[in-house]
Amino acid sequence: MIGEYKINRTTRRCSVGDRPLEPGEVYYSVVMEADEDFKRIDIAADAWTGPPEETIGWWKNRVPRAEEKKREIAPPEVLIELLRSMAEQPAAAKSRFLLALLLLRKRHLKTIEPTATGSPMGAPAQDPRDETEAKPFEAKSRETMLLMSNLDQSTMEVDVVAIGPSEAGTLQDELIDLIYRDVDELPE
């Protein structure tokens, strides 16, 4: 079961130089364990030397400029449909996995237990090329999550994929472009 943890919002201050982060400035947010809780610190890009040793996770941000349009996340129905449509795009497997994790985190999706078949989810029990002999299928097994939409109770499979540190920034930017839209004014 995934736990729910509260992490403070950005302070828009560099914790290394103890100075305000300026509009348009790139910075890194770092989450670390603090006693029985978690704390977030922000570090300006010019002071960044990599994540501190006790880091649990980190990501790259940019302080928005005043003239920039505000952005809001697309509605859950749109995001779930986007997740479904990405199933047909093998090159988008990593972005699809991250989108699924985001939707799980926001509780628009939930994991469900697959039915016991004795084979990896989505893999046939035997090689379809040889129907005369009952041999185990020798395909590379893959790990998947079986998910259910909390909106319409439909199900879908999402491949679990490894994401390397060098890919994280690019995938984050790609996901932000996919799920956010510009708005003139945010509703109050």
Side-chain angles (χ1 to χ4, degrees):
M1 181 77 173
I2 297 174
E4 192 69 28
Y5 301 99
K6 297 289 182 198
I7 299 171
N8 58 308
R9 294 169 117 353
T10 180
T11 60
R12 294 203 178 170
R13 290 192 69 77
C14 175
S15 64
V16 173
D18 193 29
R19 65 170 180 79
L21 296 167
E22 300 298 324
E25 185 174 6
V26 173
Y27 66 98
Y28 293 85
S29 293
V30 177
V31 176
M32 298 181 291
E33 205 165 348
D35 299 323
E36 292 183 18
D37 209 1
F38 296 97
K39 77 174 186 175
R40 171 184 173 164
I41 61 169
D42 298 313
I43 302 171
D46 60 5
W48 180 253
T49 58
E53 194 171 306
E54 60 276 2
T55 297
I56 294 170
W58 59 273
W59 60 95
K60 186 177 179 179
N61 290 306
R62 186 180 55 79
V63 178
R65 292 182 174 90
E67 69 275 5
E68 288 179 333
K69 288 186 174 184
K70 296 188 191 283
R71 300 183 94 191
E72 69 178 18
I73 195 163
E77 308 81 37
V78 172
L79 296 177
I80 289 171
E81 188 54 40
L82 174 62
L83 185 68
R84 280 190 191 103
S85 70
M86 291 171 79
E88 302 302 318
Q89 303 167 13
K94 292 181 180 185
S95 295
R96 185 171 190 252
F97 175 61
L98 290 176
L99 178 56
L101 292 177
L102 174 78
L103 291 168
L104 278 166
R105 172 79 169 89
K106 292 193 168 283
R107 295 193 172 123
H108 299 305
L109 293 176
K110 64 181 175 183
T111 57
I112 55 176
E113 293 297 319
T115 57
T117 62
S119 65
M121 262 193 287
Q126 68 182 40
D127 189 339
R129 295 170 293 184
D130 188 0
E131 304 230 4
T132 59
E133 287 184 51
K135 291 191 275 188
F137 188 62
E138 295 177 10
K140 180 181 174 186
S141 68
R142 60 188 170 103
E143 186 179 352
T144 60
M145 296 185 295
L146 186 56
L147 304 172
M148 178 187 286
S149 165
N150 288 330
L151 301 174
D152 63 6
Q153 281 60 53
S154 63
T155 60
M156 65 192 87
E157 280 186 20
V158 174
D159 288 337
V160 175
V161 295
I163 296 173
S166 62
E167 304 171 285
T170 304
L171 287 169
Q172 178 183 359
D173 293 343
E174 184 180 308
L175 191 61
I176 287 170
D177 287 343
L178 280 174
I179 67 173
Y180 281 90
R181 63 182 183 169
D182 292 335
V183 292
D184 292 329
E185 270 186 48
L186 289 174
E188 302 214 8

